[in-house]
Amino acid sequence: MKITFLGTGTSQGIPIIGSKHPVCLSEDPRDKRLRVSVLIEWDNYCYVVDCGPDFRQQMLSNAVEKIDGILFTHEHSDHTAGLDDIRPFFFRQGDIDLYAHQRVFKELKKRFDYIFTTENKYPGAPSVDAHVITNTPFNIGNIEVVPINGQHFKLQVFGFRFQDFAYLTDMKTVEEEEIEKLKGVKVLVINALRKEPHISHFNLDEALDFINKIKPERAYLTHISHLLGFHETVQNELPNNVFLAYDNLQITIQ
């Protein structure tokens, strides 16, 4: 299984428009972060988790020619606003499979009604095959995906376990029975917004505590804001098996 971090930034990305913060002015490419998303490939399958406003740029930067589907963690714009840019895939492949909570589809149908409509549909609009998911395992390609239920302040969000890889973002609280689903993963990705506490995201200490509970072989931090600090500085402060993810980083899981 190959994982590509398409974006590792928070909702505003880094640099933030108009910001003079030192991290926003950094020339280290690892400090430049698009909105959070990840590409997962195995055998001949290719799936994306979340489809934010940088989706088109991310697909071009990584020369992605086809996707088998998109899984959504939740409905916030930094995770969904790029949905219209599935059009080139749709024109080549036909309807694109989407996987999301029923509530997320309700929101997507408001914002992208022209994608989901079946009457008088504009011929240039893409079409999708919507798969409603709940907190029970489901199949994509030839593997089973295990949803991990969590809270993003008061909003329910899903993380996902794909065999030995687990991807969680925008988490603030995760119940013990959900944590149990993650035991035994080799690679864990978890959000770490900044060092100071935040109302709806893990901060760095909370993310490290969460990693300690799961005990993966490797862990990667994502959904990072400029307030966490410079990539190189923060990386040097982390445990040996914990890494700051950065845009276009690729890892493999045997």
Side-chain angles (χ1 to χ4, degrees), residues 28 34 45 76 90 107 113 145 148 156 213 219 227 246:
D28 185 341
L34 299 178
Y45 296 104
H76 284 168
F90 165 71
E107 291 299 315
D113 61 313
V145 179
I148 311 298
Q156 180 272 342
K213 287 182 180 178
L227 298 175
Y246 55 88

Side-chain angles (χ1 to χ4, degrees), residues 40-239:
I40 303 169
E41 299 173 89
W42 72 96
D43 297 340
N44 292 315
Y45 296 104
C46 179
Y47 284 82
V48 175
V49 179
D50 288 334
C51 178
D54 302 312
F55 179 72
R56 175 181 176 274
Q57 182 178 349
Q58 292 164 340
M59 295 296 96
L60 290 171
S61 295
N62 290 279
V64 180
E65 296 181 357
K66 72 114 177 178
I67 57 172
D68 292 296
I70 302 171
L71 292 75
F72 288 102
T73 58
H74 63 298
E75 63 267 41
H76 284 168
S77 285
D78 55 322
H79 299 258
T80 60
L83 185 57
D84 184 75
D85 285 324
I86 64 172
R87 283 187 296 154
F89 297 114
F90 165 71
F91 294 148
R92 288 195 298 269
Q93 302 172 211
D95 292 8
I96 304 299
D97 286 320
L98 305 182
Y99 301 81
H101 192 286
Q102 187 169 12
R103 183 198 72 244
V104 175
F105 279 124
K106 183 178 178 181
E107 291 299 315
L108 291 177
K109 288 174 183 178
K110 289 180 188 175
R111 296 183 224 166
F112 300 97
D113 61 313
Y114 61 93
I115 291 178
F116 291 88
T117 189
T118 56
E119 296 182 9
N120 301 316
K121 191 178 180 78
Y122 176 65
S127 295
V128 298
D129 191 358
H131 304 269
V132 174
I133 59 174
T134 60
N135 195 20
T136 56
F138 60 96
N139 291 320
I140 60 171
N142 57 0
I143 67 168
E144 182 181 76
V145 179
V146 179
I148 311 298
N149 205 39
Q151 292 293 124
H152 179 38
F153 186 41
K154 295 182 179 180
L155 181 70
Q156 180 272 342
V157 296
F158 277 136
F160 301 105
R161 178 172 181 169
F162 307 83
Q163 297 181 328
D164 289 326
F165 172 71
Y167 181 83
L168 285 73
T169 185
D170 289 53
M171 294 285 181
K172 180 61 179 180
T173 54
V174 185
E175 298 296 330
E176 285 300 322
E177 65 250 35
E178 300 299 310
I179 291 175
E180 283 299 312
K181 297 178 184 178
L182 294 166
K183 295 296 176 67
V185 295
K186 292 182 179 179
V187 176
L188 171 69
V189 178
I190 187 69
N191 55 287
L193 187 74
R194 63 190 192 190
K195 292 181 178 178
E196 297 78 15
H198 190 273
I199 194 170
S200 60
H201 292 274
F202 281 162
N203 68 358
L204 179 58
D205 285 342
E206 289 168 331
L208 292 175
D209 286 345
F210 190 80
I211 292 166
N212 238 13
K213 287 182 180 178
I214 307 304
K215 299 188 182 342
E217 292 177 7
R218 291 177 284 159
Y220 292 84
L221 305 180
T222 194
H223 208 289
I224 294 161
S225 86
H226 62 297
L227 298 175
L228 186 62
F230 292 105
H231 181 101
E232 184 173 4
T233 302
V234 177
Q235 182 60 64
N236 289 334
E237 298 170 349
L238 295 176

